[in-house]
Amino acid sequence: QDKRRAVEIALREFPKLSDNSIAGLCGVKIHAVKKAVYANKQQAIKQAVRDKVEALTKQAARGQTTK
């Protein structure tokens, strides 16, 4: 739990570090870092879809259309 949180913080605070560097910094295996990176990307994708659906719903409610 603590190491996973450390990886999440390190990814956010040091976005330019390589996965290997973050693994070394946090004392975890590279697999743990890659798993966190994947989870972050999935969350970002889900949020982008939610945002787009919300924007399209608001446009439709106003009678606007998109190209």
Side-chain angles (χ1 to χ4, degrees):
Q1 198 71 323
D2 290 339
K3 288 186 177 186
R4 185 176 71 201
R5 181 82 175 120
V7 169
E8 291 171 0
I9 292 169
L11 286 168
R12 189 173 55 246
E13 295 297 319
F14 309 108
K16 295 186 182 211
L17 283 182
S18 69
D19 292 352
N20 283 325
S21 295
I22 289 181
L25 180 68
C26 297
V28 298
K29 294 183 180 182
I30 188 69
H31 176 75
V33 176
K34 294 210 179 278
K35 186 175 177 181
V37 168
Y38 178 78
N40 287 345
K41 286 181 182 177
Q42 291 300 313
Q43 187 62 32
I45 290 168
K46 287 178 184 178
Q47 187 60 50
V49 169
R50 282 188 211 109
D51 292 347
K52 186 65 173 177
V53 168
E54 182 180 346
L56 291 172
T57 301
K58 286 179 181 178
Q59 286 179 349
R62 292 189 304 253
Q64 297 175 344
T65 59
T66 61
K67 293 180 182 180

